[in-house]
């Protein structure tokens, strides 16, 4: 079985091609990471990937993990101007089986493949076998999915659009931020304040707070970190504000799901701000829940450091989607055999 799986993001898309072996294992043929904005559509991206793989045989199956609410195997991406339809991709690419899944549903599936080298504990509490698991994370947007164990102990994953629920400020400065963003966007979700796409707004807000001139162009997270390192007080304040907001969001998720099986934090922003995420400031923002502080304090919280979580989850789904089986962990096995040109 020839399988292409992809983790499609607003900033980058990670694609992997595997082939099934006689013993049921998957061998990695080819993988590559692309800038999503370089392509007008998912079809264009996939055609490029297939061409770049050169002499690989025709794929039998395609699984794409996508950021956005799926309906009838179609989705309009939240932070990328693409509409993706499984039936259309099946027809134009000549692939027999095409499956679209939510990106954080794929990441949730990938959690089963994590080893102790793929995460760091932010709140060192023991995870309960069979307990509810949650994964959330800031990339271009803010994703959230949860996992429930069935009677056999296998986890089923469920997608949400929780990142788009209403933002609730927890301090005077956050109240001022809400007022500013409400004037610009109307509805203000948590994604507006705790994601990669929020960094520019946070910086501009902090420039105003510090009575500094506003930047000419868009300032992303990477540039914000550079400015903070160079002594830009507004940039440093924006990163501190982001940590406070992200921590508050994680604490909210802990209260909502009570994930005694583990609360996993993923996403590209978390990886880039790892040291800040591991700071006391982040966890203090997470547990600052008044009478419910102890609930968050008892929650096992992990920061995922592996960058392959989403594509590994999509591969696991692709291995079993037509057999009705539970996805097999594939993260370590494909990592050992990587032939990436990214």
């Amino acid at each position: 079985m020839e399988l292409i799986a992809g983790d499609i993001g607003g900033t980058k898309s990670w694609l992997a091609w595997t082939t099934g072996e006689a013993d049921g294992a998957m061998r990695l043929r080819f993988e590559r990471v692309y800038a999503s904005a370089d392509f007008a559509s998912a079809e264009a991206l996939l055609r490029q990937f297939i061409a770049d793989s050169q002499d690989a045989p025709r794929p039998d199956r395609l699984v794409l993990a996508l950021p956005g609410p799926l309906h009838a195997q179609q989705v309009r991406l939240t932070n990328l101007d693409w509409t993706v339809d499984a039936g259309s991709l099946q027809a134009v690419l000549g692939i027999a089986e095409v499956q679209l899944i939510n990106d954080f549903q794929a990441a949730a599936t990938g959690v089963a493949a994590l080893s102790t080298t793929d995460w760091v504990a932010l709140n060192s509490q023991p995870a309960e076998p069979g307990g509810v698991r949650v994964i959330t994370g800031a990339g271009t947007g803010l994703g959230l999915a949860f996992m429930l164990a069935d009677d056999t102990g296998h986890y089923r994953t469920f997608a949400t659009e929780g990142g788009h629920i209403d933002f609730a400020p927890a301090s005077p400065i956050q109240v001022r931020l809400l007022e500013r963003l409400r004037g610009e966007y109307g509805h203000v979700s948590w994604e507006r304040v705790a994601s990669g796409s929020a960094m520019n707004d946070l910086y501009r807000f902090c420039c105003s707070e510090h009575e500094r001139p506003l930047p000419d162009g868009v300032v992303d997270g990477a540039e914000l970190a550079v400015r903070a390192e160079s002594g830009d007080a507004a940039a440093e304040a924006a990163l501190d504000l982001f940590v406070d907001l992200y921590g508050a969001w994680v604490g909210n998720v802990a209260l909502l799901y009570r994930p005694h099986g583990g609360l996993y934090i993923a996403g590209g922003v978390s990886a880039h701000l790892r040291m800040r995420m591991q700071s006391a400031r982040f966890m203090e923002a997470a547990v600052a829940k008044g009478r419910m502080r102890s609930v968050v304090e008892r929650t096992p919280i992990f920061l995922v450091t592996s960058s392959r979580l989403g594509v590994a989850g999509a591969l696991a789904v692709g291995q079993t989607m037509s057999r009705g089986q539970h996805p097999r962990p594939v993260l370590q096995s494909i990592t050992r055999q990587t032939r990436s040109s990214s």
Side-chain angles (χ1 to χ4, degrees):
M1 188 263 293
E2 299 290 335
L3 166 65
I4 294 176
D7 180 22
I8 309 301
T11 302
K12 67 179 183 180
S13 293
W14 194 318
L15 295 168
W17 189 323
T18 62
T19 183
E21 302 286 6
D23 62 358
M26 302 298 291
R27 177 176 62 83
L28 185 67
R29 280 191 181 275
F30 179 72
E31 68 177 339
R32 183 162 290 182
V33 179
Y34 299 90
S36 302
D38 289 348
F39 300 90
S41 65
E43 177 189 340
L45 169 66
L46 288 162
R47 288 190 184 280
Q48 184 65 58
F49 176 70
I50 292 170
D52 289 342
S53 65
Q54 297 178 348
D55 295 328
R58 179 182 294 277
D60 303 304
R61 187 176 297 168
L62 169 67
V63 177
L64 292 182
L66 300 153
L70 273 73
H71 177 69
Q73 284 296 286
Q74 185 181 76
V75 59
R76 181 172 179 81
L77 273 59
T78 306
N79 293 300
L80 195 63
D81 190 22
W82 294 1
T83 296
V84 185
D85 180 86
S88 176
L89 289 177
Q90 190 173 11
V92 299
L93 297 175
I95 300 176
E97 296 180 272
V98 177
Q99 178 79 20
L100 308 183
I101 58 175
N102 176 268
D103 59 340
F104 264 77
Q105 191 173 8
T109 302
V111 164
L114 294 175
S115 71
T116 55
T117 61
D118 296 316
W119 50 263
V120 294
L122 299 185
N123 197 42
S124 298
Q125 298 295 317
E128 295 181 4
V132 176
R133 293 175 178 171
V134 171
I135 185 164
T136 190
T140 304
L142 180 63
L144 175 67
F146 63 97
M147 294 153 274
L148 301 177
D150 62 19
D151 292 340
T152 68
H154 291 93
Y155 277 92
R156 296 182 61 198
T157 64
F158 300 87
T160 82
E161 290 299 327
H164 297 283
I165 63 177
D166 299 342
F167 164 58
S171 67
I173 189 172
Q174 292 180 21
V175 170
R176 295 195 296 274
L177 174 66
L178 174 60
E179 291 172 349
R180 180 186 180 97
L181 295 179
R182 185 175 284 158
E184 185 166 353
Y185 298 112
H187 178 254
V188 181
S189 68
W190 275 96
E191 183 171 287
R192 291 290 188 192
V193 302
S195 67
S197 60
M199 292 295 190
N200 183 60
D201 284 325
L202 294 181
Y203 181 54
R204 298 175 76 85
F205 168 74
C206 287
C207 284
S208 296
E209 288 279 304
H210 284 73
E211 299 182 343
R212 301 284 298 274
L214 297 180
D216 293 330
V218 174
V219 176
D220 61 16
E223 184 176 347
L224 194 58
V226 170
R227 291 185 181 222
E229 286 289 330
S230 67
D232 185 330
E236 183 67 28
L239 290 174
D240 284 344
L241 180 57
F242 176 83
V243 169
D244 292 342
L245 292 162
Y246 202 8
W249 164 256
V250 167
N252 288 345
V253 171
L255 293 181
L256 182 62
Y257 291 96
R258 299 197 69 182
H260 297 305
L263 195 166
Y264 295 84
I265 305 170
V269 174
S270 304
H272 291 307
L273 298 180
R274 176 172 171 175
M275 297 308 296
R276 290 177 183 269
M277 298 284 293
Q278 292 181 255
S279 69
R281 184 181 192 121
F282 179 85
M283 278 307 304
E284 182 53 40
V287 302
K289 300 301 179 188
R291 294 173 294 172
M292 293 294 107
R293 180 186 182 99
S294 63
V295 175
V296 184
E297 289 177 332
R298 291 193 296 269
T299 303
I301 301 176
F302 307 101
L303 175 64
V304 177
T305 56
S306 170
S307 61
R308 304 180 57 84
L309 187 63
V311 72
L315 283 165
V317 170
Q319 282 182 251
T320 56
M321 72 185 198
S322 64
R323 300 198 298 271
Q325 300 173 356
H326 293 284
R328 294 174 55 192
V330 295
L331 184 65
Q332 289 87 5
S333 62
I334 65 171
T335 301
R336 294 191 195 103
Q337 303 175 61
T338 297
R339 292 198 304 112
S340 176
S341 57
S342 61

